[in-house]
Amino acid sequence: MLIAGNWKMYKGPGETREFCAAFAPPDGVDVVLCPPFGSLGAGVASGHTIYAQNVHWADEGAFTGEVSTKILLELGVRGAIVGHSERRQYFGETDETVARRTVAALGHGLKVIACVGESAEERESGQTELVLRLQVESVADAAGTHSNLVLAYEPVWAIGTGKTATPEIAQEAHALIKSLLDVPVLYGGSVKPENAEELLSQPGVDGALVGGASLDVESFTAICQAAARFHS
Ligand code: PEP
């Protein structure tokens, strides 16, 4: 089981140090923290496993506002999230750029959590399967079943909304995703201590990508403890 905490644009270096000093992940679960770029160094210094929230495909170059695998590796960062729905929604990320980021990061030895998921409109109009198929196949075609690759199923309508996919929805989506690319699949979307156990116990759910509830040491620890109970 892998539990990843996506801090989005929260926690500067000071708060990162505070969180990391108070956080003790339980045995039997892999835990990674994904602070914003400016707090990566503070996270790495704490000794916890740190991933970035994005990474560019080029080794270096004129790409203002981006960060390379080379820079992340020099900092001691071990992996990166790519294709988060907030990147797709607000910053023009496409299946093609997500695939390019994935390939470059894996090629340089970073671990990757590549995110996929349908919007509320796509689900309501019966397009969930098509959307997931396109998103997953684009990563699958580019990267294949790489041992450092993990996917995250994050239905956009469940992110930061307090709405969680039912265990049946999660299970169905995970089964589809795994049939297209056989790698571990995390669930993401309003995972909290109260629902973690039920979601994590579903077949095909190999962990969680946690946003809001990862900002608080107690709630994130409780989610990690729930995962440790399903340790495989
Ligand atoms: C996320 O940011 O990946 C996420 C799932 O957020 P939340 O847990 O807040 O819905």
Side-chain angles (χ1 to χ4, degrees):
M1 281 262 168
L2 171 66
I3 304 294
N6 172 22
W7 289 357
K8 312 192 185 205
M9 205 172 67
Y10 294 98
K11 295 194 191 293
E15 282 183 282
T16 298
R17 275 189 289 273
E18 246 171 68
F19 182 106
C20 289
F23 179 56
D27 289 338
V29 57
D30 294 324
V31 179
V32 307
L33 300 170
C34 312
F37 286 137
S39 302
L40 289 173
V44 170
S46 76
H48 291 295
T49 305
I50 302 297
Y51 284 17
Q53 295 173 18
N54 200 6
V55 62
H56 197 261
W57 53 85
D59 285 351
E60 58 186 6
F63 299 107
T64 303
E66 293 282 336
V67 70
S68 68
T69 50
K70 200 173 146 198
I71 294 168
L72 293 179
L73 287 166
E74 188 177 335
L75 277 169
V77 170
R78 309 276 288 279
I81 298 171
V82 300
H84 190 278
S85 67
E86 286 150 17
R87 301 295 317 169
R88 294 178 188 258
Q89 253 181 302
Y90 307 132
F91 300 99
E93 200 75 63
T94 64
D95 289 347
E96 192 207 327
T97 56
V98 173
R100 291 182 78 181
R101 291 178 196 278
T102 303
V103 170
L106 291 173
H108 284 85
L110 282 176
K111 300 198 177 204
V112 171
I113 300 173
C115 304
V116 300
E118 79 288 358
S119 67
E121 302 74 53
E122 288 161 347
R123 175 159 286 274
E124 277 151 26
S125 61
Q127 288 182 292
T128 299
E129 184 172 338
L130 176 67
V131 170
L132 291 179
R133 199 170 273 281
L134 290 173
Q135 291 178 346
V136 175
E137 279 176 352
S138 132
V139 174
D141 290 348
T145 52
H146 197 289
S147 59
N148 280 344
L149 176 62
V150 167
L151 293 177
Y153 170 58
E154 298 212 306
V156 179
W157 46 270
I159 296 180
T161 58
K163 287 185 202 161
T164 316
T166 61
E168 295 71 32
I169 288 180
Q171 196 187 329
E172 197 183 336
H174 281 233
L176 170 67
I177 291 167
K178 279 174 182 286
S179 75
L180 301 168
L181 183 59
D182 189 16
V183 296
V185 182
L186 312 182
Y187 170 77
S190 298
V191 175
K192 305 182 270 274
E194 304 79 59
N195 60 24
E197 195 153 331
E198 189 180 28
L199 287 161
L200 291 169
S201 65
Q202 297 308 307
V205 175
D206 303 306
L209 179 51
V210 186
S214 72
L215 294 169
D216 177 76
V217 177
E218 273 177 31
S219 64
F220 192 54
T221 302
I223 293 168
C224 294
Q225 283 166 344
R229 291 197 278 276
F230 295 103
H231 143 246
S232 55

